[in-house]
Amino acid sequence: GYRVGCYTSPHLLHYNERVRIGKQQVSDAELCASFAQIEQVRGDTPLTYFEFGTLAAMQYFIEHQVEVAILEVGLGGRLDAVNVFDADCAVVTCVDIDHTDYLGGTREQIAFEKAGIFRKSHVAICADSDVPQAIRTQSQQVGADLWCIGSEFSFTTHHGQWNYRSKSGSRSSLPYPALRGAFQLHNASAALAALDALKERLPVSMEAVRCGLNEVQLAGRFQFVPGKPTLILDVAHNPHAARSLAQNLASLPPCPHTYAVFAMLRDKDMAGVAAALDAHIDTWLVAGIDTARGATAGELEQVLQQGRVRGEIKAFGSIAEALRYACDAAGENDRIAAFGSFYTVAEVMVSRGLRVL
């Protein structure tokens, strides 16, 4: 019932996916109008791609008088463009190793950067079961009200439903989120905790919560494409996300053969992703990503060989070719998993004529 603006990144197929009001992507004309307004007032101030986009998105939200703005941090938190805005509630879903060149090589260093979005006297939510000390320390120093999963809020499962409780309320007999994956209950609990933290200003009914859980969609996150053989799209591009994908694949009914359509950026932990999924892949179909940061098929093949993966490895000139091979080779009861990058999933979506809803 609220007018909600969402700013997320990166996009899969079109930049417009990043800026939405009421689930509707911003039009080209409206986006360009916002860009023009930012360009008009920035003067001599240089702006990065992401800074420009962030300001344009907020300009669009202000113009359309959204009642709620949900802003996803692009990288880290403390120094991210999104952090120029003071949030009424801050959410850290999990902390793991990625973007080490910018954020540091340990969970504690990365947690310090993420905790940079916390604000004095406002609720800060952490949905990672293993709360880094930096999250606790920074929330104390800032004066934020820290809510951690397992203490200030939690969930339990019972006969195909789940229950949520927090220091300020509870919601029972909830339907499982429409998104697949065991970690989704952590994420859903964090979302409900945010609603609890803001309930005086932003009351949300049980009916609306059930509706949200039943209808939620997120392209490229363990997304099943209808048809046979089963095609699964996942943007997993670091070991943490790859472990989640592996867990999700393991939870599915057994199948005769699983093909991986695999392409990554070379500045990511390619070996770590491969190791996390090794046990679940029978044939690796590797391809290069046609961008400066993209690993070549040869580089990926070498990483897989050095990691001694158990599956067969085949190299292709493009992701589309790898997908074509998988579709031809797979039986109707087999499985194809395309993962490794947003670029990988985007190319598969284009090949199959899919769009982001």
Side-chain angles (χ1 to χ4, degrees):
Y2 293 103
R3 192 160 54 257
V4 180
C6 279
Y7 175 56
T8 59
S9 61
H11 60 276
L12 277 165
L13 304 179
H14 304 288
Y15 185 92
N16 315 55
E17 295 163 28
R18 295 176 179 232
V19 186
R20 308 182 300 283
I21 295 179
K23 297 185 184 178
Q24 295 299 309
Q25 295 175 20
V26 59
S27 70
D28 289 353
E30 289 173 309
L31 199 52
C32 288
S34 289
F35 283 144
Q37 284 180 280
I38 301 304
E39 177 65 16
Q40 195 176 354
V41 297
R42 76 175 178 88
D44 296 329
T45 306
L47 294 172
T48 65
Y49 172 90
F50 191 74
E51 288 167 347
F52 210 118
T54 300
L55 291 171
M58 190 51 94
Q59 166 63 29
Y60 177 66
F61 293 159
I62 291 168
E63 205 166 286
H64 286 76
Q65 298 181 320
V66 299
E67 296 159 289
V68 184
I70 300 171
L71 309 178
E72 182 187 9
V73 168
L75 180 67
R78 183 174 64 95
L79 301 177
D80 191 77
V82 162
N83 202 33
V84 300
F85 303 105
D86 287 327
D88 296 293
C89 179
V91 181
V92 171
T93 53
C94 62
V95 182
D96 213 281
I97 309 300
D98 201 359
H99 304 292
T100 52
D101 291 353
Y102 298 96
L103 306 179
T106 69
R107 284 184 83 240
E108 290 297 333
Q109 288 174 310
I110 292 169
F112 169 78
E113 296 295 335
K114 290 194 176 217
I117 66 172
F118 296 172
R119 294 295 189 270
K120 183 178 181 178
S121 303
H122 289 305
V123 171
I125 291 163
C126 180
D128 195 314
S129 302
D130 181 15
V131 184
Q133 185 55 44
I135 294 282
R136 299 189 188 279
T137 302
Q138 288 307 111
S139 68
Q140 284 175 343
Q141 289 187 355
V142 169
D145 180 9
L146 182 63
W147 292 17
C148 296
I149 197 163
S151 51
E152 287 75 17
F153 70 101
S154 64
F155 68 88
T156 55
T157 57
H158 183 68
H159 295 318
Q161 294 181 319
W162 64 289
N163 303 317
Y164 160 87
R165 68 137 193 97
S166 79
K167 60 195 286 186
S168 68
S170 62
R171 298 182 191 256
S172 303
S173 303
L174 295 165
Y176 274 74
L179 301 175
R180 296 172 184 252
F183 60 90
Q184 294 300 349
L185 288 181
H186 282 74
N187 290 348
S189 296
L192 292 179
L195 294 183
D196 274 354
L198 302 171
K199 67 181 181 182
E200 299 304 322
R201 294 169 57 192
L202 192 71
V204 175
S205 69
M206 277 295 293
E207 184 186 359
V209 166
R210 290 178 193 282
C211 183
L213 290 168
N214 281 323
E215 295 181 7
V216 60
Q217 293 180 329
L218 193 55
R221 274 73 162 193
F222 206 55
Q223 177 186 352
F224 279 61
V225 178
K228 288 194 172 187
T230 299
L231 173 60
I232 299 166
L233 310 181
D234 200 299
V235 295
H237 56 275
N238 59 38
H240 176 258
R243 288 193 296 272
S244 292
L245 174 56
Q247 189 180 359
N248 290 338
L249 288 172
S251 71
L252 297 174
C255 76
H257 202 94
T258 300
Y259 294 85
V261 174
F262 183 47
M264 284 190 71
L265 299 178
R266 72 164 60 84
D267 54 18
K268 299 294 183 184
D269 184 357
M270 297 181 283
V273 169
L277 284 152
D278 180 19
H280 305 278
I281 305 300
D282 301 303
T283 301
W284 295 84
L285 310 176
V286 300
I289 292 177
D290 189 18
T291 183
R293 292 167 60 202
T296 65
E299 287 170 328
L300 275 178
E301 192 172 13
Q302 192 174 8
V303 167
L304 293 174
Q305 287 168 345
Q306 287 171 347
R308 299 181 182 275
V309 297
R310 64 178 189 87
E312 184 185 8
I313 306 165
K314 292 180 179 291
F316 295 86
S318 70
I319 292 166
E321 283 179 46
L323 178 66
R324 228 175 358 255
Y325 177 89
C327 292
D328 290 342
E332 67 170 27
N333 295 320
D334 291 338
R335 204 156 39 219
I336 302 166
F339 59 88
S341 171
F342 277 82
Y343 290 99
T344 313
V345 170
E347 278 207 46
V348 169
M349 291 180 78
V350 169
S351 296
R352 293 294 292 265
L354 302 172
R355 61 191 183 90
V356 176
L357 297 174

